Amino acid sequence: MAAAPVWSVDPRTGNPREQVAVEATVQEIDRAVRAAHAVRESLADRTRRAAFLRTAAELLTEAGEHVIEAADAETALGPARLTGELARTAAQLRSFAEVVEEGAFLDVHIDHADAGRTPPWPDLRRYKIPLGVVAVYAASNFPLAFSVPGGDTASALAAGCPVVVKAHPDHPATSELCASVLRRAAARVGLPEDVLILVHGFEAGVELIRHPLVAAAGFTGSVRGGRALFDAAAARPRPIPFHGELGSLNPVVVTGAAAAERAEEIGAGLAGSMTMGAGQFCTKPGFVLAPADESGDRLLKTLTDAVSDTEAAVLLDHRMRDAFLAGVRTRAGLPGVDAPVTPGAGGEHTVAAGFLTVPAGLLAAEGPHDELLEECFGPVTVVARYASEDEITAVLSRLPGNLTATLQTATGTDPEAPALLAALTPLAGRVLVNGWPTGVAVAPAQNHGGPYPSSTSTSTSVGATAIERWLRPITYQTTPEALLPPELHEDNPLGLPRRVDGRRES
């Protein structure tokens, strides 16, 4: 039986553009993983690893015109958005090069033998080592920053782990181009190209998570797809870590004082955030609690005007368009739900942004409106109008885990703010005050993850600490220095940040 072809498709028309590759067979997945596993020791040199990451950033930037052209043809995200995404992706690679060089991620601890303790301490030396081959499942909505050259790949390579990427079917040509750039970067610094390998196909993704030499996996996508892979990772004879970003509602709470003070500003900000990128950001504010009073009416008036002026947009593929149309149709048909701006079809290949409103009291207990508390991918949000703080608390208690949660407060004293911030904190991995969640800075303090189902682990997929996902600690006890790795030698020949006998060395 011939391998299935992999086509690049134009989302603006739904028509195939070109055949890019063929789906990988079980045998090809095995060869890919074994090839990556065979070169894992080549990544042991931190200096060369850092050079690889910087060279990858350089070559991606040099190929920027071709990368952006390919990505726009397959995603319809537009050159402006993709130019920014390419710059972010290159910066992310460079930032991980800095992490590798600095070395704090190794988390070195040395505790000298101390017979005076009860019980006595032996000599103990601890640091972190790479897990092995990492499987990365590329995202649809960020063809660069969360795909082949994205954060999962960059952080895994920084940790010293070879990567096998399962390309997303929405941008296979972009994936091939980016993979070739990264492999060329590896060769340029003297690394085997197989430190990064690209595969295609749904079944390839399933076989990849099952392969005994795959040591961990990173995923960004739907709850359904991510949960299936998460379960498969746990069901292996030897389970592996699965770091999945699955879905997020990203709730927003607008206090009465905030709406009274700046309803129009909040309405305009919400419109911009929920329609950004055609509502296809994982941090889109998909659920808002706003007061059911005159100030809330003013907020909705501004939101109505701004969303009405938003042009129809092309989604990443027609499957997502169909799911969006079905999702908003079902939600809009629920009793008590109104559509000040009706979301739906904008044309044969586009969608029109909109939003729905509902009394918050209808969501305070389990019932037919529960679908409003689930993510709907695309340019739509749900505004629940509350009559009391008790209604806010009741609705928040029913929300699933999220990547973000946002509190819009008055700029002065706001008596509701402390209690509401405390109620939002358990719901998300990042809590914003008087901002909007779309946009995830690549910074050391960033956390892009949250309680399930937004994530399947407690780790971040963005920022310097994303590297921790692909490492495990190991301790050597009473080991002669001649047998120790140089990272744990007494005189610290590599100049690493470390703690010795509980104290951080300067």
Side-chain angles (χ1 to χ4, degrees):
M1 182 176 177
V6 174
W7 288 88
S8 172
V9 176
D10 182 352
R12 294 179 172 94
T13 64
N15 295 327
R17 297 176 58 248
E18 59 176 334
Q19 182 180 338
V20 173
V22 295
E23 295 187 357
T25 64
V26 173
Q27 294 77 17
E28 287 167 339
I29 292 297
D30 181 60
R31 285 197 294 271
V33 175
R34 291 186 183 280
H37 181 75
V39 301
R40 65 195 186 283
E41 294 301 327
S42 69
L43 288 168
D45 184 334
R46 286 192 300 119
T47 300
R48 184 164 291 181
R49 249 166 38 219
F52 170 33
L53 293 167
R54 284 204 176 89
T55 302
E58 176 187 341
L59 296 184
L60 270 176
T61 302
E62 289 178 1
E65 181 179 349
H66 300 297
V67 170
I68 291 166
E69 181 182 9
D72 180 52
E74 293 186 305
T75 67
L77 289 172
R81 148 70 195 274
L82 292 166
T83 297
E85 187 177 334
L86 178 63
R88 170 207 171 100
T89 305
Q92 190 165 239
L93 288 161
R94 294 188 189 100
S95 72
F96 277 114
E98 294 173 1
V99 168
V100 171
E101 287 175 332
E102 192 256 353
F105 74 97
L106 294 169
D107 196 23
V108 177
H109 288 254
I110 295 176
D111 292 321
H112 292 108
D114 187 347
R117 290 185 178 267
T118 305
W121 281 10
D123 185 271
L124 298 167
R125 296 169 185 247
R126 176 187 189 272
Y127 80 137
K128 291 182 177 179
I129 61 175
L131 290 175
V133 178
V134 170
V136 169
Y137 294 80
S140 63
N141 55 342
F142 283 85
L144 306 175
F146 285 83
S147 190
V148 173
D152 283 351
T153 298
S155 59
L157 291 170
C161 297
V163 175
V164 179
V165 183
K166 206 289 284 183
H168 196 281
D170 278 356
H171 47 263
T174 308
S175 298
E176 286 284 345
L177 178 55
C178 290
S180 69
V181 169
L182 265 62
R183 287 171 65 86
R184 187 154 46 92
R188 181 170 292 189
V189 300
L191 289 171
E193 291 187 349
D194 284 347
V195 293
L196 182 128
I197 298 175
L198 182 70
V199 297
H200 298 266
F202 176 83
E203 290 300 327
V206 176
E207 291 300 325
L208 191 56
I209 202 70
R210 294 172 176 166
H211 198 286
L213 293 181
V214 167
F219 171 90
T220 303
S222 69
V223 173
R224 181 180 178 185
R227 184 54 194 257
L229 291 171
F230 181 37
D231 291 347
R236 290 168 42 129
R238 187 180 68 178
I240 59 172
F242 181 86
H243 301 284
E245 179 195 318
L246 310 189
S248 186
L249 198 58
N250 304 303
V252 178
V253 177
V254 182
T255 68
E261 178 184 88
R262 51 193 182 89
E264 290 77 14
E265 176 188 329
I266 294 171
L270 173 59
S273 187
M274 59 148 295
T275 60
M276 184 180 292
Q280 297 175 112
F281 278 42
C282 51
T283 51
K284 179 200 74 176
F287 182 78
V288 183
L289 281 156
D293 59 14
E294 180 273 337
S295 62
D297 292 342
R298 288 191 289 118
L299 188 159
L300 257 62
K301 172 64 167 61
T302 302
L303 180 63
T304 298
D305 293 343
V307 174
S308 297
D309 288 341
T310 302
E311 294 184 1
V314 176
L315 296 188
L316 292 163
D317 63 38
H318 281 58
R319 176 182 55 81
M320 292 181 188
R321 180 179 182 273
D322 292 342
F324 172 77
L325 296 179
V328 297
R329 189 183 308 117
T330 300
R331 289 164 172 78
L334 293 169
V337 174
D338 292 321
V341 182
T342 303
E348 185 180 357
H349 304 290
T350 60
V351 298
F355 71 95
L356 309 173
T357 62
V358 64
L362 294 177
L363 303 173
E366 186 175 348
H369 294 82
D370 287 358
E371 192 167 358
L372 297 173
L373 304 180
E374 299 175 3
E375 180 185 18
C376 185
F377 194 74
V380 64
T381 196
V382 173
V383 181
R385 307 291 301 274
Y386 65 84
S388 68
E389 192 169 338
D390 286 344
E391 285 191 347
I392 300 177
T393 303
V395 174
L396 291 181
S397 71
R398 302 197 60 241
L399 294 186
N402 295 272
L403 295 171
T404 74
T406 300
L407 180 62
Q408 296 289 343
T409 72
T411 53
T413 301
D414 191 333
E416 297 175 277
L420 289 174
L421 190 66
L424 288 172
T425 296
L427 297 178
R430 177 165 57 108
V431 178
L432 300 89
V433 176
N434 294 344
W436 296 104
T438 36
V440 184
V442 182
Q446 185 59 269
N447 185 56
H448 191 62
Y452 185 86
S454 65
S455 299
T456 60
S457 71
T458 57
S459 303
T460 178
S461 63
V462 177
T465 54
I467 195 173
E468 295 173 2
R469 297 173 296 169
W470 320 118
L471 300 162
R472 71 172 180 88
I474 185 166
T475 294
Y476 291 91
Q477 181 171 327
T478 59
T479 305
E481 183 156 292
L483 298 178
L484 285 170
E487 289 86 353
L488 299 179
H489 284 191
E490 187 68 22
D491 62 352
N492 196 11
L494 302 180
L496 294 170
R498 61 184 191 173
R499 283 188 178 273
V500 178
D501 296 328
R503 297 181 180 275
R504 184 176 294 279
E505 290 187 335
S506 58

Short mmCIF file of all heavy atoms in Angstrom, two decimals, residues 109-113 117 121 499-503:
data_model
loop_
_atom_site.label_atom_id
_atom_site.label_comp_id
_atom_site.label_asym_id
_atom_site.label_seq_id
_atom_site.Cartn_x
_atom_site.Cartn_y
_atom_site.Cartn_z
N HIS A 109 24.01 21.14 42.96
CA HIS A 109 24.07 21.18 44.43
C HIS A 109 25.18 20.25 44.90
O HIS A 109 25.25 19.10 44.46
CB HIS A 109 22.75 20.72 45.05
CG HIS A 109 21.64 21.69 44.89
ND1 HIS A 109 21.16 22.47 45.92
CD2 HIS A 109 20.89 22.02 43.81
CE1 HIS A 109 20.17 23.22 45.49
NE2 HIS A 109 19.99 22.97 44.21
N ILE A 110 26.03 20.74 45.78
CA ILE A 110 27.06 19.91 46.39
C ILE A 110 26.93 20.02 47.90
O ILE A 110 26.97 21.12 48.47
CB ILE A 110 28.47 20.36 45.95
CG1 ILE A 110 28.65 20.13 44.44
CG2 ILE A 110 29.54 19.62 46.73
CD1 ILE A 110 29.97 20.61 43.88
N ASP A 111 26.75 18.89 48.55
CA ASP A 111 26.73 18.83 50.01
C ASP A 111 27.88 17.93 50.46
O ASP A 111 27.90 16.73 50.17
CB ASP A 111 25.40 18.26 50.51
CG ASP A 111 24.24 19.20 50.25
OD1 ASP A 111 24.43 20.42 50.41
OD2 ASP A 111 23.15 18.71 49.88
N HIS A 112 28.84 18.52 51.15
CA HIS A 112 30.00 17.77 51.60
C HIS A 112 29.63 16.84 52.76
O HIS A 112 28.66 17.08 53.49
CB HIS A 112 31.12 18.72 52.03
CG HIS A 112 31.70 19.48 50.89
ND1 HIS A 112 31.49 20.83 50.69
CD2 HIS A 112 32.51 19.08 49.87
CE1 HIS A 112 32.13 21.23 49.62
NE2 HIS A 112 32.76 20.19 49.08
N ALA A 113 30.43 15.79 52.90
CA ALA A 113 30.19 14.84 53.99
C ALA A 113 30.27 15.57 55.33
O ALA A 113 31.12 16.43 55.55
CB ALA A 113 31.22 13.72 53.93
N ARG A 117 26.23 15.45 61.63
CA ARG A 117 24.78 15.53 61.50
C ARG A 117 24.15 14.22 61.96
O ARG A 117 24.77 13.17 61.96
CB ARG A 117 24.38 15.82 60.05
CG ARG A 117 24.73 17.24 59.61
CD ARG A 117 24.20 17.51 58.22
NE ARG A 117 24.47 18.88 57.80
CZ ARG A 117 23.64 19.90 57.94
NH1 ARG A 117 22.44 19.69 58.51
NH2 ARG A 117 23.96 21.11 57.53
N TRP A 121 25.72 12.93 57.10
CA TRP A 121 25.58 13.12 55.65
C TRP A 121 26.80 12.51 54.94
O TRP A 121 27.94 12.77 55.33
CB TRP A 121 25.55 14.60 55.30
CG TRP A 121 24.23 15.27 55.53
CD1 TRP A 121 23.14 14.79 56.16
CD2 TRP A 121 23.89 16.60 55.11
NE1 TRP A 121 22.13 15.70 56.17
CE2 TRP A 121 22.56 16.83 55.53
CE3 TRP A 121 24.57 17.60 54.43
CZ2 TRP A 121 21.89 18.03 55.29
CZ3 TRP A 121 23.91 18.81 54.19
CH2 TRP A 121 22.59 19.03 54.61
N ARG A 499 24.99 25.63 44.37
CA ARG A 499 24.89 25.73 45.83
C ARG A 499 25.82 24.70 46.46
O ARG A 499 25.76 23.52 46.11
CB ARG A 499 23.46 25.50 46.28
CG ARG A 499 22.53 26.68 46.07
CD ARG A 499 21.18 26.46 46.71
NE ARG A 499 20.33 27.60 46.54
CZ ARG A 499 20.27 28.68 47.34
NH1 ARG A 499 21.08 28.69 48.39
NH2 ARG A 499 19.48 29.68 47.11
N VAL A 500 26.64 25.15 47.39
CA VAL A 500 27.56 24.28 48.08
C VAL A 500 27.26 24.35 49.57
O VAL A 500 27.25 25.44 50.16
CB VAL A 500 29.03 24.68 47.82
CG1 VAL A 500 29.98 23.77 48.60
CG2 VAL A 500 29.32 24.60 46.32
N ASP A 501 26.95 23.20 50.15
CA ASP A 501 26.56 23.13 51.55
C ASP A 501 25.43 24.10 51.87
O ASP A 501 25.42 24.78 52.89
CB ASP A 501 27.76 23.39 52.47
CG ASP A 501 28.84 22.32 52.32
OD1 ASP A 501 28.46 21.16 52.04
OD2 ASP A 501 30.02 22.64 52.45
N GLY A 502 24.51 24.18 50.94
CA GLY A 502 23.31 24.98 51.14
C GLY A 502 23.44 26.45 50.81
O GLY A 502 22.44 27.18 50.85
N ARG A 503 24.63 26.92 50.45
CA ARG A 503 24.84 28.34 50.16
C ARG A 503 25.16 28.54 48.68
O ARG A 503 25.95 27.80 48.10
CB ARG A 503 25.99 28.90 51.02
CG ARG A 503 25.70 28.85 52.51
CD ARG A 503 26.87 29.45 53.30
NE ARG A 503 26.62 29.42 54.72
CZ ARG A 503 25.94 30.35 55.38
NH1 ARG A 503 25.47 31.40 54.71
NH2 ARG A 503 25.75 30.26 56.68
#
